[in-house]
Amino acid sequence: MIARYFSSLDPQLDAISVRSNAAGEFLPREVKLPFRYDTIYIGGGTPGLVDAELIARLLDRLTTVFTIEPDAEITIEVNPCTVTADKLRAYRGAGVNRLSMGVQSLSDRLLGILGRAHSAETAKRAAELAVNYFDNINLDFIFGIPGVRELSTAAPQSMREVSDCLRFAVDNDIAHVSFYSLIIEPGTELYRMRERQELIELPDTEERAMYNEIRGFLSDNGYIQYEISNFAKPGLESRHNLKYWSGAPYTGLGLGAVSFLPVNDGSGSFLRFRQSDDLNRGTDPCSIGTGYEIQERLDVQARKREYMMLGFRKLTGPDPEGYRRLFSGASFESDFSTELDSLRNQGLIDAGNHLTAQGLDFANEIFMMFI
Amino acid sequence: MADRDKIRNFCIIAHIDHGKSTLADRILEMTGVLTAREMEDQVLDNMDLERERGITIKAQAVRLNYKASDGNEYVYNLIDTPGHVDFNYEVSRTLSACEGAVLVVDASQGIEAQTLANVYLAIDHNLEVVPVINKIDLPAAQPEVVRKEIEDVIGLPADDAPLISAKVGIGIEEVLEQIAQKIPAPQGDETAPLKALVFDSYYDAYRGVIVYVRIVDGSVKRGDTIRFMSTGNEYTVTEVGFFKPGTLLPAAEISAGEVGYIAAAIKDITDATVGDTVTLKDRPAAEPLPGYKAVQPMVFCGIYPVDGADYDALRDALFKLKLNDASLTFEPETSQALGFGFRCGFLGLLHLEIIQERLSREFDLDLLTTTPSVIYYVYLTSGEVITLDNPSNFPDVSTIEHIEEPMVRGTIMTPKEYVGNIMELCTDRRGEFVNMDYLEETRVVLTFNLPLNEVIYDFFDALKSRTRGYASLDYELIGYQPSKLVKLDIMLNGQIVDALSFIVHEEKAYGRARKIAEKLKDVIPRHQFEIPIQACIGGKIIARETVKAYRKDVLAKCYGGDITRKKKLLEKQKEGKKRMRQFGNVEVPQEAFLTVLKLDSDN
């Protein structure tokens, strides 16, 4: 389950408890809402902003309405600026057992380029504090950050600046780290800056060298890379994220949250739908959703393709056993023999369907095979 | 049957956009053939493409009745002519079917090269030219200046030229009056053996080919056996008649002086070619009308479906277009790079573009077109002469004695401030200056002899960009001349891409090779490996560029399970790849093929 942007509880939660499909405003009538959850992710960037008390009440409500497994992974996503000892203690007391923090970089100049509000010092202090309350912490980092031509230090991110982040994570015995290769997407300030040729970008070759250094360093320090950008101490992989990559259903509550749920007609189809986040259209920012948009209807064939596509985000590739379970005994080796052969010939995956080093660099090529 | 004295056969000639079709519309409206509400604008240009581009591709004809101020009822046969140099021959045949021409000149633009070319063509055919000054409602209109220009430049009296606005309907009556007064009635002997000039034709699914004719002598009716004098083919007439806007009006007979149609269950449009003479089997004319020539395509290119599975659809589409276009030729061709397609022949570049656009628009085909080529004569050391229209068939250099290429006489009309730019362009395109005439103080006519292969190579675009759109061009084939030509090949990752090869003058090969290599470097996306782009002549590399390898292709972080959004991005990326052509392991976007077509030296 994903919960985003909650700042107060909503009567709709009570409606769900009465009858699953009564809450038609946020849930298409044709889908089945699961009542048992073993991961909760309180995300969307800003839950750290609100009073910790509200997070506690939210989890309390969710526990009343749904069955939350006793060993459920319950993550909260926080911003370094909002972290205080009191809040951390309150999260802990409310049942949160995993903390994810967007650090991005430990260099002030790079944080500035990325447009982040926090300083390197703030991020360090927040993480060091968090370690006292949580064993299971994730720190998000970005690499491949460009330089800005007009700044006094115009160079793109250096390997040394990446090492600072790696070192910090290892020294603090952080359970889980993610290193995302910066992709400058349309609509962002960096994109506009690039259009205006204000950026000095890292050449591809250096960016890849950086990636390989990250992988090597983390591996040497006891982390297992289980996904293109994700690294964890053994047994501490994010169970929540693994669900996305293994075709499992999930429920998204709150503004802009996405759900992926089975259709209640025995066809094996799933719907992916997204709660409205258009405040101009009267969406209540505190609601679990006052209108949704169906993004995609996936029949069994489409789900199979998606299973493969997402499965290849994991270094071990899609799981044959999981595929068999989801698709009544089918084998992806036979369902997708052409695609898999082609990927093997291109050197993107190996005989055991694991991503190769080449596959890590050209993951889109693999994904596109299943689009 | 109309009294021959009261028949007026005429066409309208004008530069593109000077308002020919709008005037035709107004004439139709005024003569009551159509009410304003009934008619779609520009009835005569009835292909979408014609309407969009404001040009006429196929001739159209329509018969109208007009009651003139002298109290007489006249029959007007208005024949709309194609207005572009590519269709010069068709224009000349249409003119032969008329006694007069209404010359439309834009009151703000004045006379253009094409206007002049068509007027001279009309005068050559002894047509009475009735000048009309259009668009007088425009703020920039200078009717008196244009009137003087008509007199000075063309030498036509224009003191009583009607000042009109076809768009708002001013002065149309005056045009209709002058047609009756000035254009002579047709001559001809109704009792002589049949001589009918074919000036157009189209294929009708029910009646077979509808042959547009001007009856010069004699008459023809249903049941007659007609003979096409160029081929000797004979057919039994199933129907004759006249043209109504958008339809045909069967008649008992059509005779000398009339413009009409003949249907005779003719299956193939090439059996009723423009310029041919139709006569009767039982009482044939002694000799055909003068001026017939078989239409020869001048420009060739390969047309390939982007998706190989569309090959059959492309073939069917070409057959369908061919039904109505005798000048289009095609035959199957195979390219290593592009797979199966067709080598097509066209009258000129515009004709090529029109066919290409119709194929994609009317038949919804996604196509790739190779560099256009002209016909070269290759003299071999063995004494043999081969005609070459496809760079792929370029013979081994050691066997070539010499090569000749087609030359055209190009007439360029321009405001005088652009003369320098045009001189430079034409010289750059291996043009040989022939002459320069001042039309008036500010405008000149430049004449150049130019190789056709330079003209078909984005010459129009280059001319327009160097003259801010003011210059106009007309050209005619004047023969062949020896030339040092070589075949330029492009290699991607060490492999020749046959579809990018073309024939070029030796002296221009280096410059062009460099430019193409540079452009290709920009349009070929980076791959997982480095791609050398090489341009070479007979194995010798004369230009080289490299597309650097890219090292990553990964998605940004996926937030909160919004996988659909990621998939959409991937779909877009994949869609882009699908539109590319695979050469060995290099993917080449379609743009790359356009690169070699459009390579104006300024860009």
Side-chain angles (χ1 to χ4, degrees):
Chain A
M1 185 185 305
I2 317 153
R4 304 186 71 178
Y5 300 112
F6 272 90
S7 62
S8 72
L9 295 179
D10 194 278
Q12 285 181 78
L13 274 175
D14 296 320
I16 310 171
S17 67
V18 178
R19 198 170 70 81
S20 67
N21 284 356
E25 279 195 12
F26 87 97
L27 197 67
R29 290 193 174 276
E30 51 190 318
V31 303
K32 223 174 356 189
L33 185 66
F35 273 79
R36 193 170 280 275
Y37 293 89
D38 62 357
T39 70
I40 296 178
Y41 196 97
I42 307 168
T46 50
L49 284 174
V50 301
D51 210 336
E53 171 66 9
L54 287 175
I55 301 298
R57 278 168 55 197
L58 166 68
L59 283 172
D60 181 58
R61 267 331 279 189
L62 290 175
T63 317
T64 314
V65 174
F66 301 100
T67 305
I68 309 298
E69 301 288 352
D71 63 343
E73 176 191 281
I74 302 176
T75 309
I76 188 163
E77 194 175 79
V78 295
N79 184 303
C81 300
T82 63
V83 172
T84 63
D86 285 350
K87 274 189 183 166
L88 292 170
R89 201 176 304 118
Y91 296 153
R92 181 88 245 188
V96 174
N97 52 27
R98 187 170 180 270
L99 190 92
S100 179
M101 186 162 23
V103 174
Q104 321 310 356
S105 167
L106 291 174
S107 147
D108 285 336
R109 71 170 193 107
L110 295 176
L111 287 167
I113 291 169
L114 292 171
R116 301 290 159 155
H118 62 267
S119 67
E121 195 47 44
T122 308
K124 278 184 187 164
R125 237 184 287 140
E128 282 158 3
L129 189 62
V131 178
N132 299 322
Y133 297 89
F134 292 92
D135 305 325
N136 195 353
I137 293 177
N138 166 59
L139 300 183
D140 272 346
F141 294 101
I142 292 175
F143 69 96
I145 304 168
V148 174
R149 225 168 269 286
E150 61 187 25
L151 295 181
S152 55
T153 312
Q157 186 176 27
S158 67
M159 190 57 227
R160 197 203 162 98
E161 284 166 318
V162 174
S163 297
D164 288 346
C165 302
L166 289 165
R167 200 72 262 166
F168 181 82
V170 168
D171 289 349
N172 287 281
D173 202 24
I174 300 298
H176 188 289
V177 290
S178 61
F179 275 84
Y180 286 96
S181 165
L182 177 68
I183 305 290
I184 300 179
E185 295 199 75
T188 61
E189 182 55 26
L190 280 178
Y191 188 86
R192 284 185 286 274
M193 289 171 81
R194 178 159 74 187
E195 294 285 288
R196 294 194 299 260
Q197 314 208 328
E198 291 169 11
L199 300 184
I200 299 175
E201 291 186 73
L202 210 57
D204 275 2
T205 43
E206 285 180 39
E207 197 259 7
R208 284 294 99 180
M210 204 173 258
Y211 180 55
N212 285 323
E213 290 236 20
I214 293 165
R215 296 178 57 212
F217 183 90
L218 289 172
S219 159
D220 291 347
N221 285 279
Y223 291 82
I224 292 163
Q225 182 180 14
Y226 67 103
E227 195 257 358
I228 297 170
S229 311
N230 283 281
F231 305 81
K233 293 281 180 66
L236 292 174
E237 295 88 354
S238 162
R239 278 154 57 193
H240 186 81
N241 282 344
L242 282 168
K243 282 182 186 294
Y244 295 144
W245 305 325
S246 58
Y250 45 88
T251 306
L253 307 179
L255 261 62
V258 175
S259 302
F260 178 63
L261 295 173
V263 174
N264 203 3
D265 65 355
S267 66
S269 294
F270 270 56
L271 281 188
R272 184 173 286 113
F273 56 95
R274 184 172 184 275
Q275 301 304 325
S276 165
D277 55 2
D278 188 351
L279 296 176
N280 295 327
R281 291 222 307 250
T283 300
D284 174 3
C286 303
S287 70
I288 57 174
T290 51
Y292 57 83
E293 177 207 353
I294 293 181
Q295 295 176 294
E296 212 178 344
R297 174 183 292 269
L298 294 98
D299 60 12
V300 171
Q301 194 49 38
R303 279 176 62 212
K304 283 180 168 177
R305 302 194 81 83
E306 192 171 288
Y307 187 92
M308 298 306 287
M309 183 188 113
L310 295 169
F312 277 117
R313 295 190 64 128
K314 297 178 288 184
L315 267 76
T316 51
D319 171 27
E321 200 39 56
Y323 190 90
R324 233 189 312 277
R325 249 192 338 266
L326 279 182
F327 305 114
S328 39
S331 144
F332 64 64
E333 278 293 349
S334 61
D335 285 352
F336 295 105
S337 57
T338 326
E339 288 85 349
L340 293 169
D341 282 346
S342 164
L343 293 174
R344 282 181 204 118
N345 289 337
Q346 292 177 60
L348 296 169
I349 61 172
D350 66 16
N353 300 321
H354 296 88
L355 291 185
T356 61
Q358 178 89 344
L360 286 172
D361 291 346
F362 297 98
N364 281 358
E365 300 285 327
I366 303 176
F367 303 154
M368 273 187 276
M369 197 59 94
F370 301 100
I371 288 284
Chain B
M1 189 92 300
D3 182 352
R4 201 190 311 146
D5 287 351
K6 302 292 179 292
I7 297 177
R8 296 292 180 269
N9 298 319
F10 67 98
C11 56
I12 305 177
I13 55 186
H15 186 71
I16 289 173
D17 276 349
H18 281 198
K20 183 177 69 166
S21 300
T22 317
L23 176 59
D25 289 349
R26 287 303 151 266
I27 291 177
L28 261 56
E29 219 179 275
M30 292 279 296
T31 53
V33 183
L34 290 176
T35 66
R37 215 150 46 84
E38 277 171 340
M39 65 186 253
E40 198 176 349
D41 263 353
Q42 306 193 351
V43 173
L44 291 181
D45 284 350
N46 58 15
M47 262 188 262
D48 277 355
L49 202 59
E50 293 182 316
R51 231 171 280 136
E52 246 169 64
R53 291 199 165 200
I55 52 169
T56 306
I57 298 162
K58 286 192 73 71
Q60 303 283 336
V62 64
R63 183 181 164 98
L64 322 156
N65 295 308
Y66 177 67
K67 194 165 164 65
S69 57
D70 61 11
N72 289 316
E73 183 98 26
Y74 288 87
V75 169
Y76 284 1
N77 286 308
L78 163 57
I79 305 174
D80 200 15
T81 56
H84 190 271
V85 287
D86 280 6
F87 307 103
N88 250 345
Y89 176 65
E90 281 78 356
V91 177
S92 82
R93 293 306 85 199
T94 306
L95 296 179
S96 299
C98 302
E99 279 76 39
V102 174
L103 166 67
V104 183
V105 184
D106 184 318
S108 61
Q109 310 267 320
I111 294 166
E112 313 252 8
Q114 207 180 65
T115 321
L116 208 57
N118 286 336
V119 170
Y120 288 147
L121 213 51
I123 293 170
D124 286 350
H125 285 81
N126 294 320
L127 263 51
E128 182 64 36
V129 178
V130 178
V132 166
I133 298 168
N134 192 23
K135 303 198 187 178
I136 55 156
D137 57 316
L138 291 185
Q142 292 182 291
E144 292 314 313
V145 174
V146 171
R147 194 194 294 278
K148 190 162 180 308
E149 199 177 76
I150 295 171
E151 294 186 340
D152 295 350
V153 176
I154 307 176
L156 278 175
D159 52 318
D160 64 344
L163 301 180
I164 70 163
S165 165
K167 195 167 142 223
V168 300
I170 301 168
I172 311 301
E173 189 74 37
E174 181 57 20
V175 179
L176 290 168
E177 278 297 314
Q178 290 202 2
I179 290 167
Q181 291 159 19
K182 292 190 171 175
I183 296 175
Q187 307 287 307
D189 182 354
E190 240 164 85
T191 61
L194 175 68
K195 271 189 188 174
L197 171 72
V198 178
F199 65 89
D200 200 7
S201 58
Y202 75 90
Y203 186 80
D204 177 285
Y206 302 103
R207 286 173 282 206
V209 177
I210 303 291
V211 187
Y212 287 43
V213 290
R214 158 69 193 274
I215 312 286
V216 176
D217 287 322
S219 64
V220 59
K221 59 183 188 304
R222 184 193 163 122
D224 284 346
T225 300
I226 52 166
R227 175 187 297 164
F228 286 88
M229 295 185 77
S230 74
T231 58
N233 290 344
E234 291 175 357
Y235 300 90
T236 303
V237 175
T238 55
E239 190 179 312
V240 297
F242 302 111
F243 302 105
K244 298 279 283 174
T247 181
L248 300 172
L249 182 68
E253 183 184 63
I254 48 175
S255 60
E258 297 274 16
V259 171
Y261 69 90
I262 301 173
I266 302 166
K267 298 254 162 10
D268 188 346
I269 200 157
T270 49
D271 289 343
T273 51
V274 171
D276 203 352
T277 303
V278 179
T279 190
L280 292 180
K281 177 194 172 194
D282 293 339
R283 195 176 160 227
E287 53 193 35
L289 295 161
Y292 174 76
K293 66 183 183 198
V295 177
Q296 293 294 348
M298 302 231 285
V299 176
F300 294 80
C301 75
I303 295 185
Y304 291 82
V306 168
D307 181 350
D310 284 341
Y311 177 80
D312 288 338
L314 173 58
R315 189 191 49 214
D316 293 348
L318 284 168
F319 270 113
K320 281 196 185 120
L321 290 182
K322 172 88 184 156
L323 280 179
N324 275 318
D325 187 347
S327 45
L328 170 68
T329 65
F330 60 93
E331 54 185 39
E333 175 183 74
T334 314
S335 153
Q336 281 167 354
L338 303 177
F340 294 100
F342 294 91
R343 190 79 189 159
C344 302
F346 308 93
L347 296 172
L349 261 197
L350 179 75
H351 189 209
L352 182 160
E353 274 176 37
I354 287 165
I355 297 292
Q356 218 179 326
E357 248 185 273
R358 293 189 65 188
L359 286 170
S360 67
R361 221 187 270 201
E362 293 168 31
F363 300 92
D364 204 20
L365 291 165
D366 224 347
L367 301 172
L368 280 175
T369 311
T370 64
T371 322
S373 170
V374 298
I375 301 182
Y376 300 98
Y377 294 152
V378 184
Y379 292 77
L380 301 179
T381 45
S382 64
E384 201 188 335
V385 183
I386 55 174
T387 57
L388 182 73
D389 65 48
N390 186 344
S392 302
N393 302 332
F394 200 82
D396 189 284
V397 187
S398 63
T399 65
I400 299 174
E401 212 308 285
H402 75 280
I403 304 177
E404 289 184 356
E405 67 176 329
M407 300 294 294
V408 295
R409 166 77 45 97
T411 310
I412 299 167
M413 198 170 286
T414 177
K416 67 175 181 193
E417 59 263 42
Y418 302 117
V419 167
N421 291 353
I422 293 170
M423 288 281 190
E424 198 186 329
L425 171 66
C426 290
T427 314
D428 180 55
R429 298 303 174 94
R430 300 190 282 129
E432 182 193 311
F433 175 77
V434 177
N435 195 13
M436 178 165 93
D437 272 334
Y438 270 83
L439 285 178
E440 48 175 348
E441 238 169 81
T442 55
R443 302 213 306 157
V444 297
V445 179
L446 292 161
T447 314
F448 280 89
N449 289 343
L450 287 153
L452 180 60
N453 92 348
E454 298 282 350
V455 176
I456 64 168
Y457 188 82
D458 85 342
F459 186 84
F460 293 100
D461 291 347
L463 181 67
K464 289 286 173 200
S465 73
R466 275 167 183 69
T467 61
R468 297 175 56 213
Y470 280 111
S472 54
L473 169 82
D474 189 35
Y475 65 84
E476 59 175 334
L477 195 65
I478 52 171
Y480 274 72
Q481 112 182 357
S483 182
K484 283 202 180 325
L485 296 161
V486 294
K487 180 187 173 207
L488 185 67
D489 290 316
I490 305 291
M491 296 202 294
L492 293 181
N493 212 14
Q495 263 189 309
I496 291 183
V497 179
D498 58 2
L500 291 176
S501 298
F502 59 95
I503 293 167
V504 61
H505 193 265
E506 197 179 56
E507 280 169 20
K508 312 209 68 179
Y510 282 85
R512 204 165 288 174
R514 237 186 348 264
K515 250 176 239 152
I516 286 180
E518 277 165 20
K519 279 253 185 145
L520 284 175
K521 184 185 159 202
D522 291 340
V523 297
I524 293 174
R526 297 204 286 163
H527 283 56
Q528 293 175 41
F529 45 86
E530 199 167 84
I531 305 163
I533 299 168
Q534 294 156 307
C536 50
I537 298 171
K540 186 184 161 207
I541 290 161
I542 61 168
R544 184 193 156 109
E545 291 284 343
T546 306
V547 180
K548 289 220 177 67
Y550 74 121
R551 305 288 176 192
K552 69 160 178 174
D553 184 7
V554 290
L555 279 183
K557 183 176 175 174
C558 179
Y559 288 98
D562 195 351
I563 292 154
T564 304
R565 189 177 155 259
K566 292 287 151 190
K567 276 161 80 174
K568 283 194 178 136
L569 290 173
L570 287 165
E571 261 163 42
K572 241 169 111 183
Q573 192 177 346
K574 187 165 180 172
E575 199 48 47
K577 278 168 76 90
K578 255 201 351 228
R579 297 183 58 83
M580 294 197 225
R581 279 276 160 176
Q582 189 90 27
F583 296 96
N585 46 5
V586 181
E587 276 161 349
V588 181
Q590 298 191 55
E591 260 180 287
F593 300 94
L594 293 177
T595 300
V596 286
L597 304 188
K598 308 250 176 202
L599 204 72
D600 185 1
S601 20
D602 272 0
N603 301 333

